[in-house]
Amino acid sequence: MNTSLFTFDLIAKDGQARAGVFNTPHGDLLTPVFAPVGTQATVKAVTPAQLEELGATLILANTYHLYLRPGADVIAELGGLHHFMQWQHPILTDSGGFQVFSLEQMRKIDEDGVTFKSHIDGSIHRFTPEKSIEVQQNLGADIIMAFDECAPPYDRAYSERAMQRTHQWAERCLRAKTRRDQALFGIVQGGVFPDLRQQSADYLTSLDLPGYAIGGLSVGETKVEMHAMLEIVHGILPEDKPRYLMGVGTPEDLINGIRRGVDIFDCVLPTRLARHSAAMTFSGRLNLLNAAYARDAQPIDQNCQCYTCRHFSRAYLRHLIVAKEMLAATLISIHNIFTLQELVRQARRAILEQRFAAFASDFLQQYQQNKTTTSSLTERKP
Ligand SMILES: [Zn+2]
């Protein structure tokens, strides 16, 4: 496979933390990078122009959702995902696996693939590794994912079966892939079991893929277990390929992931929290619906340089929420996404300047300290 369109340059290392540049056909990603999620080919409540202004460089779109609606063939016909949603920077699509396997009552797995019922109209569909690649090739993202099975983290027998299936499926995805302008990432599975994680990282490394994702984490295991799995995988995956921790996006998880060698993250958290009136800051969360903010002239965060914080008060945001105005979701999403972009930018700078350990411990200390006070504040009803 020719991967020359997708080189990864490791610029600096500080402990296990890494700063790099991942070249893609739609531009360079400076890593560590955080990708906001655009499930339905839109990052909810935010325009592509606003995302650019926030400094977002990579976004994620969901294969399962776009396959069902409007259909990957429709998107291909209309020029592919970049043109369809007017985002000219890198895009990543997942394989559809995670959503399909989350359908619980609506799916049937065999060695060849998964049959499932659409959550929209109950119609029957089937994903195989080949089908997932066909759909992702129609969507046309820069980074695409191998079809994998994410098992419940504590079931060893299931984790082992799912891991083996994931390996066979990764090979089938590799054979099915024809587009040169897409990088196929393999996904390390293995639940919370060190030997399975090791086996999975070894096996996928042998496939010489342009990047690797770490899947099946942030699905109910403890933080200690998540960190232990990251450390195992870190020691095995090739240094000159990017590592992507799927579905992780609280500020502390980003810092703890970067500390353990992760380069790419994605999460729905900043936009989902925004739609539930919650603002993310470096010192914890604020529930802007709280009555305490009714006459509060301060911005969400005094130190934040985002559009929302430069212009609007907590009182105004609270008013928009109470009045059920759409702008509330937009303004809080802008702030939340900016906060995570700023966090990874600062982390990258700290790595380049060889002071990441101090940066991380200062950040986590401040975050934990304030979390207690802000969470007790957010629990108070308006
Ligand atoms: Zn802000």
Side-chain angles (χ1 to χ4, degrees):
M1 189 178 64
N2 190 333
T3 56
S4 60
L5 290 169
F6 295 93
T7 49
F8 180 67
D9 302 314
L10 196 53
I11 309 286
K13 278 202 309 179
D14 186 3
Q16 294 183 347
R18 296 140 54 93
V21 181
F22 187 46
N23 306 106
T24 84
H26 287 85
D28 293 344
L29 295 173
L30 303 186
T31 64
V33 63
F34 173 79
V37 174
T39 301
Q40 308 273 10
T42 166
V43 175
K44 290 188 200 304
V46 185
T47 68
Q50 288 167 332
L51 282 173
E52 273 179 2
E53 200 189 313
L54 292 169
T57 48
L58 174 69
I59 59 170
L60 177 140
N62 286 119
T63 292
Y64 165 81
H65 290 282
L66 296 175
Y67 158 82
L68 289 177
R69 185 175 56 192
D73 52 332
V74 173
I75 291 176
E77 217 175 282
L78 293 165
L81 206 43
H82 291 92
H83 186 72
F84 187 56
M85 68 179 292
Q86 285 298 299
W87 178 254
Q88 303 308 335
H89 308 285
I91 301 177
L92 185 159
T93 47
D94 62 0
S95 70
F98 187 78
Q99 265 85 20
V100 168
F101 286 107
S102 309
L103 293 171
E104 285 295 344
Q105 305 307 319
M106 297 196 278
R107 47 132 170 111
K108 195 170 167 296
I109 310 158
D110 56 66
E111 287 308 311
D112 185 54
V114 190
T115 302
F116 60 94
K117 247 189 208 174
S118 157
H119 74 286
I120 299 171
D121 61 5
S123 55
I124 304 289
H125 301 264
R126 184 165 171 77
F127 270 4
T128 60
E130 292 77 13
K131 181 68 183 180
S132 170
I133 294 298
E134 180 198 313
V135 174
Q136 292 187 80
Q137 292 197 142
N138 273 332
L139 296 175
D142 303 87
I143 302 170
I144 65 175
M145 304 306 293
F147 194 58
D148 69 321
E149 180 175 4
C150 174
Y154 295 111
D155 185 334
R156 180 169 175 109
Y158 191 168
S159 286
E160 193 160 1
R161 265 201 320 278
M163 178 197 76
Q164 264 142 12
R165 202 138 48 196
T166 294
H167 295 169
Q168 285 157 17
W169 287 357
E171 287 199 44
R172 282 169 58 186
C173 287
L174 199 51
R175 282 196 296 273
K177 177 180 177 292
T178 54
R179 281 182 68 159
R180 275 193 58 235
D181 59 348
Q182 296 185 298
L184 174 67
F185 280 26
I187 304 177
V188 176
Q189 288 290 353
V192 295
F193 306 100
D195 59 319
L196 296 185
R197 286 283 171 183
Q198 189 169 356
Q199 219 177 309
S200 190
D202 274 330
Y203 183 86
L204 291 167
T205 300
S206 76
L207 297 182
D208 190 26
L209 298 163
Y212 295 90
I214 304 145
L217 291 177
S218 197
V219 291
E221 80 289 352
T222 67
K223 299 286 181 204
V224 172
E225 287 163 334
M226 186 207 275
H227 298 162
M229 296 306 110
L230 287 178
E231 279 160 21
I232 289 167
V233 168
H234 176 82
I236 300 169
L237 293 177
E239 193 165 62
D240 60 347
K241 303 288 175 66
R243 292 125 186 227
Y244 162 35
L245 179 54
M246 306 176 82
V248 165
T250 67
E252 69 250 68
D253 283 347
L254 293 182
I255 294 301
N256 280 315
I258 293 169
R259 174 139 83 179
R260 292 170 177 82
V262 176
D263 307 299
I264 303 173
F265 301 86
D266 81 278
C267 197
V268 296
L269 202 62
T271 44
R272 181 170 291 168
L273 285 177
R275 297 196 303 283
H276 290 90
S277 318
M280 304 170 89
T281 75
F282 279 22
S283 44
R285 275 178 211 170
L286 303 186
N287 179 357
L288 291 166
L289 188 53
N290 199 303
Y293 302 130
R295 291 162 189 270
D296 191 337
Q298 298 177 86
I300 296 172
D301 179 349
Q302 300 276 21
N303 302 315
C304 180
Q305 294 302 309
C306 85
Y307 170 76
T308 302
C309 290
R310 280 186 285 116
H311 294 88
F312 305 99
S313 63
R314 293 171 176 176
Y316 179 67
L317 296 169
R318 180 176 186 276
H319 157 69
L320 293 180
I321 295 163
V322 172
K324 301 200 178 344
E325 283 293 332
M326 290 189 288
L327 188 59
T330 298
L331 292 179
I332 306 169
S333 294
I334 284 175
H335 165 81
N336 285 354
I337 294 170
F338 184 90
T339 298
L340 296 191
Q341 297 298 334
E342 185 57 25
L343 181 62
V344 294
R345 274 195 291 264
Q346 289 188 15
R348 188 173 200 273
R349 212 174 305 135
I351 296 166
L352 293 173
E353 292 168 6
Q354 303 291 302
R355 51 175 179 81
F356 180 77
F359 168 79
S361 69
D362 287 354
F363 173 82
L364 290 173
Q365 199 181 0
Q366 185 199 354
Y367 192 81
Q368 304 300 353
Q369 233 167 41
N370 287 284
K371 212 165 122 181
T372 342
T373 48
T374 49
S375 62
S376 62
L377 192 66
T378 53
E379 273 157 24
R380 212 185 304 151
K381 291 276 176 280

